Amino acid sequence: MVTSIRNGMPMLDTDGKPMHAHGAGIMEDNGYYYMFGEVRDGDKRVACYRSKDLMNWEFRNVVLRITSEKKPHYMRTDLDLVYHGKGVNIERPKVLYCEKTKQYVMWMHYENGVDYNAARCAIATCDTVDGDYVYRGSFNPVGNDARDCTLYKDKDGTAYFFASGRDNADMMVYRLSDDYMSVDEQVKALWAGQYREAPAVFEKNGKYYMLSSMCTGWNPNQGGSASSFGIEDRWSSISNFGDSVTFNSQPTAVVKFGEHYIYVADRWDPVDYNNSGYIFLPITIEDGACHIEWADEISFDVKTKTYSVFSIESEDYRIMANEFTAYLSSDGADVFTRPLSYKDESLIWNFWEKGNCYNIVHKATGKGLASDGTMRDISDKRSMLWTIEKCEDRVRIVNVESGKVFAVRGRRVMLASPDDKFGYCRIVRKY
Ligand code: GAL
């Protein structure tokens, strides 16, 4: 039994085995939270765990495999789970219970495992929550492409499927048929052209909320929330929640814990999928907008239905440049960019305060950033000092001696003139 979880880290199940349920959907059933999520290992595709306290997760079953039983659906779907001899990709599985048919119905995102061009949704069904699901095939809802997705069951039992469509530009909302097995009607194309992904929907006191992210693959970006008085009503515009990388997370579900709503998110590791971690943070709502605060650790008390959060002081930062995909690194001599990986200690920087300025120190090598873009021994020389100017949600890192700003073009690091449009970075705490 664990008594708290460390946010952002990979988790172990109650047998001590690495837990793989990424892009998870969580539903409550017979007194448990059931978590369904992605697993990419041999023929395994969707795993199911259950928990009463959101901290200790018991492995139940691999509910969907490439080799799962396949059964055609009343509409024409594609039943293949193998493409060019290899298993396809299944992402963001979500499950609802259908009262009418007494079936558990899973909706998910299907890709051929080679590229992201199929952009289909897929369905599987089962008589029990964590049994072997029968694969019912993939299709394009009303002919649309469909990628990141979620399901939501309204109070009257009407179910909705949400999926990024029109090449991720719009968030499509589909009302499902009463057996949850097909689309009844597309009811919305929300935030057209705003490229929202990773939807998670919940309701509180008659108001509906949707969390989502921007569209930068597995690199974290700014999360947002919106609200409405009904799934098919008018939705608000999106307001930011969390910091500019949503504390290195991307939404996947919201669960109700007593009176609290808990943000459940992935910390995808863009270079090592199986090192991806989990995040559970309480949501607060103000004026129709959702907010989360970072907590390094969280614990849930099932008896009182309360949670406690703990945070650790941190002086470690990553410097993110060029819109979420390039991170600053060094070998102690030069500065260059590398992709984000949570295991990569060469991405960690410290800022040593020197009056109004800073030495920018590469933690792994102990060297400091110099005005010519190389790394040198740390000193108070003006060439080694930098100011950090805030510009909305980004910063400009300006050298005290030369006035040049730190810039990244593509993956190339350079020192540029102060008006350079690439001369912005984001400094993000190592969460
Ligand atoms: C993300 C998406 C994930 C996965 C990933 C692949 O944008 O939210 O579910 O598809 O891209 O790069």
Side-chain angles (χ1 to χ4, degrees):
M1 286 280 281
V2 297
T3 52
S4 69
I5 46 182
R6 184 79 164 82
N7 270 321
M9 301 302 281
M11 281 167 76
L12 300 178
D13 66 16
T14 51
D15 292 330
K17 299 209 174 102
M19 186 171 149
H20 290 297
H22 309 289
I26 298 184
M27 72 172 296
E28 289 182 60
D29 201 77
N30 68 61
Y32 286 94
Y33 294 105
Y34 282 86
M35 183 192 280
F36 298 86
E38 300 168 22
V39 51
R40 299 185 176 186
D41 173 17
D43 77 337
K44 301 176 185 169
R45 285 301 178 271
V46 180
C48 176
Y49 297 81
R50 74 176 183 187
S51 172
K52 288 202 183 231
D53 61 12
L54 302 175
M55 300 180 296
N56 294 280
W57 292 93
E58 175 198 350
F59 170 74
R60 297 294 294 166
N61 192 14
V62 175
V63 294
L64 191 77
R65 294 173 182 267
I66 298 303
T67 50
S68 286
E69 185 189 340
K70 294 163 190 76
K71 206 163 135 191
H73 188 24
Y74 57 70
M75 51 192 253
R76 192 186 299 177
T77 59
D78 180 332
L79 285 174
D80 283 343
L81 282 172
V82 173
Y83 179 80
H84 286 221
K86 276 178 61 192
V88 303
N89 270 359
I90 294 296
E91 297 189 349
R92 297 185 178 271
K94 315 285 166 193
V95 176
L96 289 182
Y97 179 66
C98 181
E99 298 285 346
K100 184 176 178 240
T101 59
K102 309 273 179 264
Q103 291 277 298
Y104 292 85
V105 184
M106 178 188 297
W107 282 65
M108 56 207 127
H109 169 198
Y110 166 106
E111 296 291 355
N112 63 20
V114 176
D115 54 39
Y116 271 80
N117 296 335
R120 295 186 207 150
C121 57
I123 311 179
T125 53
C126 193
D127 298 336
T128 56
V129 61
D130 52 9
D132 297 334
Y133 280 63
V134 176
Y135 187 63
R136 312 302 297 270
S138 66
F139 62 101
N140 291 107
V142 297
N144 289 342
D145 55 282
R147 295 200 179 89
D148 276 17
C149 62
T150 195
L151 277 181
Y152 181 76
K153 188 203 247 189
D154 213 345
K155 282 171 278 189
D156 64 358
T158 306
Y160 294 90
F161 178 65
F162 301 72
S164 309
R166 200 165 64 91
D167 234 348
N168 293 337
D170 310 346
M171 180 56 68
M172 307 304 191
V173 187
Y174 305 95
R175 191 196 315 115
L176 298 188
S177 54
D178 59 2
D179 59 4
Y180 301 176
M181 294 294 286
S182 64
V183 169
D184 174 18
E185 186 186 349
Q186 180 182 343
V187 293
K188 288 277 166 188
L190 294 171
W191 309 300
Q194 293 186 40
Y195 290 84
R196 305 306 300 183
E197 286 197 319
V201 178
F202 68 102
E203 179 264 342
K204 185 185 180 188
N205 299 337
K207 210 159 179 189
Y208 297 80
Y209 299 89
M210 193 194 307
L211 307 181
S212 61
S213 72
M214 289 162 47
C215 195
T216 54
W218 278 321
N219 287 288
N221 58 49
Q222 174 75 65
S225 82
S227 64
S228 99
F229 286 103
I231 302 288
E232 300 188 33
D233 286 357
R234 192 162 176 187
W235 281 78
S236 72
S237 54
I238 292 167
S239 55
N240 292 347
F241 78 99
D243 69 355
S244 62
V245 288
T246 325
F247 311 127
N248 290 333
S249 74
Q250 191 184 27
T252 194
V254 174
V255 291
K256 193 160 187 246
F257 184 73
E259 291 308 302
H260 306 289
Y261 292 81
I262 309 297
Y263 166 70
V264 184
D266 295 289
R267 174 169 296 171
W268 303 107
D269 191 318
V271 302
D272 182 2
Y273 176 89
N274 283 323
N275 185 44
S276 297
Y278 305 85
I279 284 170
F280 293 78
L281 292 171
I283 298 172
T284 52
I285 299 171
E286 230 173 88
D287 299 328
C290 297
H291 300 280
I292 51 171
E293 301 266 339
W294 175 247
D296 288 291
E297 240 175 278
I298 188 160
S299 75
F300 296 98
D301 184 327
V302 234
K303 285 205 192 77
T304 57
K305 288 280 191 276
T306 52
Y307 63 82
S308 321
V309 291
F310 313 92
S311 270
I312 300 161
E313 287 284 310
S314 174
E315 296 192 340
D316 291 352
Y317 294 88
R318 294 189 183 89
I319 303 175
M320 181 178 67
N322 201 20
E323 298 308 323
F324 304 102
T325 53
Y327 283 72
L328 284 200
S329 178
S330 172
D331 54 8
D334 289 310
V335 188
F336 37 83
T337 66
R338 284 167 74 104
L340 174 63
S341 165
Y342 295 101
K343 284 186 193 153
D344 187 349
E345 291 298 322
S346 83
L347 305 184
I348 304 301
W349 298 81
N350 299 133
F351 293 81
W352 293 2
E353 232 176 300
K354 298 277 163 74
N356 297 330
C357 331
Y358 298 89
N359 281 132
I360 301 180
V361 182
H362 185 244
K363 193 178 181 186
T365 60
K367 297 283 184 182
L369 183 61
S371 60
D372 60 357
T374 62
M375 301 298 291
R376 296 179 188 243
D377 291 336
I378 292 152
S379 74
D380 290 349
K381 281 191 209 147
R382 283 162 58 81
S383 61
M384 297 297 290
L385 294 174
W386 303 79
T387 56
I388 295 169
E389 295 169 10
K390 241 182 125 27
C391 302
E392 293 177 16
D393 63 337
R394 300 184 293 180
V395 295
R396 289 161 76 80
I397 301 179
V398 187
N399 187 258
V400 170
E401 186 182 62
S402 67
K404 295 236 167 154
V405 302
F406 206 72
V408 178
R409 279 190 201 169
R411 307 224 157 255
R412 211 154 62 84
V413 178
M414 56 178 60
L415 283 147
S417 62
D419 58 0
D420 195 291
K421 70 173 177 168
F422 294 97
Y424 296 92
C425 302
R426 288 185 169 85
I427 299 173
V428 180
R429 177 193 188 259
K430 180 192 174 192
Y431 293 110

